[in-house]
Amino acid sequence: TTLAVAELALGMMFALARTLPRADAAIKQGQWLKKELMGVELFGKVLGVIGMGNIGAAVAKKAAALGMDVLGYDPFLPAEEIARRSAQPVTLDNLYAHSDFISIHVPLTSETQGIIHAKALSQMKPGVRLVCTARGGLIDEAALLAALNDGQVAAAALDVFAQEPPGASALVTHPNVIATPHIGAQTFEAQARAAEDIANEILAALHGKPLRWRVA
């Protein structure tokens, strides 16, 4: 699912940068909002990646190819490994202060629950655009809504929510939010790879071979 989720994160960045959902909805309603829909380019912008595992690294590599300056934060990886994964290693405070876009790629644990809280949002560069394709619960949704309303966060794209489905909440229906129903891994290719991985793991277990994934 690495490629599928990474591509969704990049797609969400493009959609935020060019307000694509609003443009599509307007023209389908017979409106021509050419002058109103002024966007930004990804080229030359700073992307902060929180969590430089397989998916975060894939996002960083693709973003760097687009001409973005990529900052990476991961407390479990040495600086040289983060650099090898196409990002400049920085502290979380520095990432917040300098990123035009932030993409979140960490697992949901007791340590990461609500990691994007009100204080963190206040430390971010004004007008930041957030993308989360990782897990619901990483973002304090009430704090994000407040930051959207006061303009500290320009826009957000969310594929995951603390409660799923989230319903037509004030966050989901916010005009500066792109919301999708946890579709990060929903590609034909990703599902085919997952099925193949499961089959190979079962065969390995039946033949007494080392397992790639083990549940204690």
Side-chain angles (χ1 to χ4, degrees):
T1 63
T2 295
L3 290 175
V5 178
E7 288 187 0
L8 178 63
L10 264 293
M12 284 180 151
M13 276 187 257
F14 278 111
L16 289 176
R18 301 304 299 270
T19 60
L20 296 183
R22 185 183 173 199
D24 174 70
I27 203 165
K28 286 177 178 175
Q29 293 168 5
Q31 299 175 306
W32 190 256
L33 303 182
K34 180 179 176 69
K35 292 182 179 179
E36 293 91 331
L37 297 177
M38 183 66 70
V40 299
E41 296 177 0
L42 296 185
F43 180 84
K45 298 299 187 295
V46 178
L47 168 64
V49 179
I50 301 176
M52 287 294 297
N54 290 338
I55 297 173
V59 170
K61 183 177 180 180
K62 295 175 188 300
L66 292 172
M68 301 186 81
D69 295 321
V70 185
L71 307 180
Y73 169 78
D74 195 311
F76 300 105
L77 292 176
E80 57 270 21
E81 180 59 23
I82 293 175
R84 193 182 71 81
R85 298 184 182 196
S86 303
Q88 176 187 342
V90 294
T91 65
L92 197 53
D93 286 347
N94 281 336
L95 185 147
Y96 288 157
H98 296 101
S99 297
D100 301 298
F101 290 78
I102 293 176
S103 194
I104 305 163
H105 300 284
V106 297
L108 181 63
T109 67
S110 57
E111 289 77 23
T112 61
Q113 177 89 30
I115 188 175
I116 306 299
H117 42 64
K119 182 179 179 182
L121 291 163
S122 71
Q123 293 174 317
M124 293 178 187
K125 187 175 180 179
V128 67
R129 291 171 171 85
L130 296 181
V131 174
C132 187
T133 56
R135 288 290 181 268
L138 296 172
I139 297 177
D140 180 331
E141 294 178 0
L144 175 57
L145 179 60
L148 285 160
N149 285 335
D150 67 22
Q152 171 65 10
V153 174
L158 308 172
D159 185 47
V160 290
F161 302 88
Q163 177 180 319
E164 295 183 351
S169 68
L171 180 63
V172 168
T173 59
H174 195 283
N176 294 332
V177 169
I178 296 171
T180 53
H182 207 145
I183 58 171
Q186 293 296 104
T187 68
F188 290 109
E189 295 87 349
Q191 293 304 310
R193 286 193 295 267
E196 184 177 353
D197 286 341
I198 292 170
N200 287 334
E201 193 78 341
I202 292 172
L203 289 173
L206 291 174
H207 290 90
K209 296 180 180 179
L211 301 181
R212 183 177 177 185
W213 298 283
R214 182 183 296 275
V215 178

